[in-house]
Amino acid sequence: SFSRAKTAPTKGGSPSHQSSGPARKAVQVAHFHVRQRIIYMNARHAIYAFLIAVAIVGGIDGHMKFQSITPPIWWDITSSAILALFAFGWYFLDSKDHCYRRSNLLNVAVFVLAAGAIPYYLAKSRAPGRRVDAVLNFVVFCGLAFVVSLIGHSIGARIS
């Protein structure tokens, strides 16, 4: 049973005005679940985050190019590392979704050379009838990322 000391007052007033018994317990349980709601990242969220990062990096590059600023080497390295981390994040979440056991070599390959390692991963992790579709979807996604980068680049060039 719940004691009144453990319950917080509701809109109705103090705990002494609350009903007791199962109704109060149900309200408390529902309140607890709302407070403890956690949104977990999945592979789809990682794809959206990657596209947002591509747009931001493209925008910064476009702004620097429009301002006739040569991007410093640290920016090239940092932006590449950021995009590689987002790609690896997707790979990590997707491999969990598909119960695929990742090797250390493939982990490094996805981080260093994602364009070659991700199609390999897709071909190995999908069911035999879905492998070609997965690789073709990756090729289409690369085209989408390129278009998003161009859009970010053009927006960044217009920001002065």
Side-chain angles (χ1 to χ4, degrees), residues 38-146:
I38 298 172
I39 299 173
Y40 292 100
M41 185 98 165
N42 62 24
R44 184 175 301 249
H45 296 138
I47 287 173
Y48 296 147
F50 179 81
L51 289 175
I52 291 169
V54 165
I56 291 170
V57 168
I60 293 171
D61 285 340
H63 181 72
M64 283 194 271
K65 185 173 184 177
F66 184 74
Q67 298 293 329
S68 300
I69 300 170
T70 303
I73 191 72
W74 65 265
W75 169 247
D76 292 334
I77 293 169
T78 303
S79 62
S80 296
I82 289 169
L83 294 178
L85 282 172
F86 276 104
F88 185 82
W90 168 83
Y91 160 71
F92 177 82
L93 293 169
D94 188 73
S95 64
K96 282 189 175 250
D97 289 346
H98 291 279
C99 300
Y100 181 79
R101 187 178 171 120
R102 302 176 318 270
S103 69
N104 290 336
L105 182 62
L106 189 56
N107 286 343
V108 172
V110 166
F111 187 79
V112 175
L113 186 63
I118 289 178
Y120 172 80
Y121 157 71
L122 290 171
K124 295 296 260 178
S125 66
R126 300 308 192 258
R130 306 280 304 166
R131 291 177 180 166
V132 174
D133 290 342
V135 173
L136 289 177
N137 285 339
F138 174 71
V139 171
V140 170
F141 176 75
C142 288
L144 175 66
F146 179 73

Side-chain angles (χ1 to χ4, degrees), residues 11-48:
K11 286 185 175 181
S14 68
S16 62
H17 298 302
Q18 294 177 357
S19 63
S20 61
R24 190 171 93 205
K25 186 175 184 180
V27 169
Q28 231 178 10
V29 170
H31 182 68
F32 175 77
H33 287 292
V34 169
R35 280 188 157 180
Q36 297 298 318
R37 184 175 177 186
I38 298 172
I39 299 173
Y40 292 100
M41 185 98 165
N42 62 24
R44 184 175 301 249
H45 296 138
I47 287 173
Y48 296 147

